[in-house]
Amino acid sequence: MSVVTRFAPSPTGYLHIGGARTALFNWLFARHHGGTCRLRIEDTDRKRSAPDAIRAIVDGLDWFGLDWDGAVVYQSENAAAHVAAAQRLLEEGKAYRCYCSPEELAEMREAARSAGSARLYDGRWRERDPAEAPPGVDPVVRIKMPLEGETVIEDAVQGTVRIANDQLDDFILLRADGTPTYMLSVVVDDHDMEITHVIRGDDHLTNAFRQFHLYRALGWETPVFAHIPLIHGPDGKKLSKRHGALSVEAYRDLGYLPAALRNYLLRLGWAHGDDEVIPTDKAIEWFDLDGVGRSPSRMDFAKLDSLNAVYLRETDAAALTALIEPRLEELAGAPIGSDAAGRVTAGMDGLKERAKTLVELADAALFYVQRPRYPLAVAKAAKALQGDAPGLIAVAVETLENLTSWEAAGLETALRACAENLNVGFGKIAQPIRAALTGSNASPSLFEVMEILGRDECLARLRAVPGTS
């Protein structure tokens, strides 16, 4: 059997982090088994489906690094097949028309709740002659669910799950206006797309029991169900925006690399021994459903930051420069130019050791693009330029002006000799120079920075310190 999975989001909002993990698990499972992964937009609810949301989902998957096989399937375009399936069930006596009014249904639900019954619809039109239908009422179409016994599903993640059939209503297949419901559309589309494995959040587990009987009624083979636990916040509660239930694009804007986010979400509910850093090729090689846990996972930004830092350090310098260039231009208020970009790339190895996100990386790299502005925003750097610091910098400038070479080793030797001649500790001269060159009290190696900035730029920045002339 060739594996076919699908990611089937509803386009009512952005691609949130839980949906991204579901998409990832479907994609990895299909790639691991040499199968196919499809994308289906479940847009049957036309009032809630938004074109912008569809674009956000597709763009989010693209940035996240997941591709899909074949064309995108739009569920709304298959409505005729959904209706035909319901009509067949009507003809075979496996479904029926229900003429209950909204008022009757409300009374029925209230009575069921008062009696402690999970079945909110009492099936009053199940065997009733449609000739008794009240005039002017457009019926819905309901499936005939089993009245006794239990439904058992062998779930690839949850194991054996069961439910008493008296908890399952005769659910609606076609609404009164003739449009198909989500429950019907999903089953028909999964069958028509030849989906072999339905991998989704365990909030859909109750739907699986209903869909199981719809497959049977239609005479179709049931796919393998795999319901993965949801992601919770650090406090163990349902994930919300305050926990990090953001769009995938929001994580991009926060400065996370897609490969790092894939790795993090992979490990959020799936394990392979003690491995933490798992590149995509290894994820494809190792992933299978038996590694998915049954308990909810908890969002942990500290772990995500740590993992993202690993991926930053492993990413090519030029590639990182290209990734942070938009933010650098935003911070600088102008295009950065090729010379500045070259300085950022040259200094990237020193910069990325200190950053956890692309945002932090861009902020740290800004001094290669833009000269410090006075008064300095970093308090410790501003303090380093007070007192006798301007005078020490002026002496250092005289020393540096006479150098014939501008390499890190020679710069260090010259400035250490300058500190000795002034009879001051090296830090007394190095820290003011660092502040003048970078606008900060922390940076990569001072002499690496000086070499990358170059003679003219360094001297210009040092001479610009208030009080040096």
Side-chain angles (χ1 to χ4, degrees):
M1 176 184 66
S2 178
V3 166
V4 183
T5 65
R6 51 56 162 192
F7 176 55
S10 298
T12 55
Y14 51 71
L15 175 63
H16 61 80
I17 201 68
R21 188 187 65 164
T22 298
L24 176 64
F25 281 16
N26 276 280
W27 185 84
L28 287 173
F29 185 76
R31 296 292 177 259
H32 173 77
H33 290 282
T36 299
C37 184
R38 305 292 304 278
L39 175 62
R40 183 173 74 228
I41 304 296
E42 299 195 332
D43 58 344
T44 51
D45 188 343
R46 304 301 289 171
K47 292 181 180 179
R48 297 181 62 209
S49 298
D52 288 346
I54 294 174
R55 283 193 294 272
I57 289 169
V58 173
D59 291 347
L61 289 171
D62 184 56
W63 174 82
F64 194 44
L66 302 186
D67 55 358
W68 54 88
D69 301 299
V72 179
V73 174
Y74 292 90
Q75 195 168 68
S76 60
E77 297 177 357
N78 299 331
H82 308 155
V83 172
Q87 293 294 341
R88 176 158 72 85
L89 292 179
L90 275 173
E91 294 167 4
E92 295 174 357
K94 299 174 182 176
Y96 60 97
R97 293 181 176 88
C98 170
Y99 293 87
C100 287
S101 66
E103 293 75 20
E104 285 180 297
L105 291 171
E107 291 174 5
M108 221 179 291
R109 284 192 291 268
E110 184 61 32
R113 292 190 180 104
S114 298
S117 173
R119 182 173 279 169
L120 302 182
Y121 174 71
D122 63 11
R124 64 183 59 181
W125 281 96
R126 184 178 174 114
E127 304 298 342
R128 195 169 173 181
D129 188 345
E132 300 177 21
V137 176
D138 293 323
V140 300
V141 174
R142 294 179 180 271
I143 186 173
K144 290 183 178 179
M145 293 288 280
L147 300 176
E148 300 175 343
E150 64 178 7
T151 301
V152 180
I153 292 176
E154 297 299 331
D155 191 276
V157 171
Q158 302 296 331
T160 302
V161 288
R162 61 186 72 231
I163 189 172
N165 288 334
D166 61 9
Q167 297 185 51
L168 301 176
D169 282 327
D170 291 351
F171 60 89
I172 296 173
L173 302 176
L174 297 180
R175 302 181 184 92
D177 63 1
T179 59
T181 60
Y182 161 83
M183 204 70 70
L184 172 63
S185 299
V186 165
V187 168
V188 174
D189 285 347
D190 280 346
H191 172 265
D192 290 352
M193 294 171 67
E194 300 181 337
I195 302 302
T196 62
H197 293 74
V198 173
I199 304 169
R200 57 190 178 185
D202 64 7
D203 52 335
H204 284 279
L205 185 55
T206 55
N207 288 338
F209 292 114
R210 294 173 172 85
Q211 291 163 5
F212 174 86
H213 288 289
L214 185 48
Y215 274 103
R216 279 194 164 184
L218 289 165
W220 296 338
E221 184 177 352
T222 307
V224 175
F225 288 113
H227 290 88
I228 57 179
L230 302 182
I231 302 172
H232 286 183
D235 56 4
K237 296 180 180 179
K238 184 179 179 181
L239 194 65
S240 64
K241 285 187 178 180
R242 68 185 176 88
H243 292 127
L246 307 172
S247 69
V248 168
E249 289 91 337
Y251 283 87
R252 176 199 62 197
D253 295 342
L254 288 169
Y256 296 105
L257 295 170
L261 188 59
R262 288 197 306 271
N263 191 156
Y264 176 73
L265 291 179
L266 169 65
R267 290 288 289 108
L268 206 58
W270 176 87
H272 185 272
D274 296 327
D275 294 281
E276 292 290 342
V277 180
I278 305 175
T280 300
D281 59 340
K282 285 297 181 184
I284 292 172
E285 179 184 342
W286 294 341
F287 184 84
D288 218 333
L289 295 174
D290 58 3
V292 179
R294 297 184 185 181
S295 301
S297 304
R298 296 194 180 192
M299 197 73 188
D300 186 338
F301 272 94
K303 279 190 175 182
L304 176 56
D305 285 348
S306 177
L307 195 57
N308 200 63
V310 172
Y311 277 84
L312 281 178
R313 291 193 294 270
E314 294 178 351
T315 302
D316 174 73
L320 287 176
T321 300
L323 287 171
I324 66 173
E325 188 169 330
R327 178 166 175 82
L328 286 173
E329 292 182 342
E330 179 183 344
L331 293 170
I336 65 173
S338 59
D339 289 344
R343 289 197 293 269
V344 172
T345 300
M348 189 57 73
D349 285 346
L351 292 167
K352 65 186 182 180
E353 291 297 322
R354 297 168 171 267
K356 296 188 292 294
T357 68
L358 291 172
V359 171
E360 291 182 2
L361 186 62
D363 292 349
L366 183 61
F367 75 85
Y368 279 128
V369 172
Q370 184 182 68
R371 292 179 180 179
R373 296 172 179 174
Y374 294 97
L376 296 181
V378 179
K380 289 184 177 180
K383 186 176 180 180
L385 294 178
Q386 295 174 0
D388 58 357
L392 294 173
I393 288 177
V395 175
V397 167
E398 294 178 5
T399 299
L400 294 171
E401 286 175 330
N402 294 320
L403 292 180
T404 57
S405 174
W406 200 265
E407 295 179 349
L411 290 165
E412 181 175 4
T413 298
L415 288 178
R416 288 191 180 277
C418 181
E420 288 184 15
N421 293 336
L422 292 169
N423 198 31
V424 297
F426 181 63
K428 291 282 289 183
I429 199 168
Q431 280 303 91
I433 290 176
R434 186 189 305 276
L437 296 179
T438 69
S440 176
N441 63 305
S443 74
S445 165
L446 174 60
F447 311 107
E448 174 188 324
V449 168
M450 293 180 71
E451 182 176 334
I452 291 170
L453 285 174
R455 175 194 298 272
D456 292 345
E457 184 64 23
C458 283
L459 293 177
R461 293 188 185 195
L462 293 173
R463 291 174 182 138
V465 174
T468 56
S469 58

